[in-house]
Amino acid sequence: MKKRNAVYVVILALMAVVTGCKEPASLTLANGDQQNLSDYKGQWLVVNYFAEWCAPCLREMPLLNELSQSDGPAVLAVSFDDLSNQALQDLSQRYQLAMPVVAKLAGPWPFESPRALPTTLVLDPKGKLVDTHQGELKPEDIANWQNKYWQKTQL
């Protein structure tokens, strides 16, 4: 009986170690800085997947720039392609991206990598995915999100 209890204790201890060591949802910016999803806790977050070869992605960038400079949510532009940090910094300058450009996401983000571009995701202040938009964003899409989500929290 003592051996069985000891085995249970060891198993429980291992489970505690394994579950306690889960990597946080993190990101690497094009400039090499590291951040976690928890850094955005308490604010709305818009995550936009883009690629330079995607014409609709490039057409919606001015709208995302405007959103990132507003009093609304934080905005991240995530490169769909695996590019070097320098290539992403060059791309950011070439297209005058105002929002941070993400080279890589890691850990348990509340969404999967998209299968179509552009894809834009809205995360609430707790980091939960609340909306997904596939296709080019239009001003009315942003206005709908503002009315539905972040405007309510600013009142």
Side-chain angles (χ1 to χ4, degrees), residues 15 21 24 33 35 40 48 52 67 76 87 134 145 152:
M15 287 174 56
C21 294
D33 287 351
Q35 294 182 344
Y40 294 92
N48 174 264
E52 188 172 21
L67 180 61
L76 295 173
Q134 287 191 324
W145 285 339
K152 289 192 298 188

Side-chain angles (χ1 to χ4, degrees), residues 45-61:
L45 178 62
V46 172
V47 178
N48 174 264
Y49 276 87
F50 77 100
E52 188 172 21
W53 48 263
C54 168
C57 298
L58 299 179
R59 285 194 302 264
E60 70 183 7
M61 283 304 168

Side-chain angles (χ1 to χ4, degrees), residues 32-47:
D33 287 351
Q34 300 285 319
Q35 294 182 344
N36 291 322
L37 175 57
S38 61
D39 295 337
Y40 294 92
K41 188 174 183 176
Q43 59 185 316
W44 288 92
L45 178 62
V46 172
V47 178

Side-chain angles (χ1 to χ4, degrees), residues 73-74 94:
R94 188 167 43 257

Side-chain angles (χ1 to χ4, degrees), residues 84-130:
S84 71
N85 287 2
Q86 186 59 54
L88 285 172
Q89 289 176 0
D90 293 346
L91 185 145
S92 180
Q93 288 179 347
R94 188 167 43 257
Y95 295 102
Q96 301 174 348
L97 302 182
M99 75 287 294
V101 176
V102 178
K104 180 181 175 186
L105 297 177
W109 283 80
F111 52 82
E112 294 181 11
S113 204
R115 294 185 177 151
L117 292 180
T119 294
T120 306
L121 308 119
V122 178
L123 280 64
D124 73 10
K126 295 178 183 176
K128 179 183 171 193
L129 179 65
V130 294

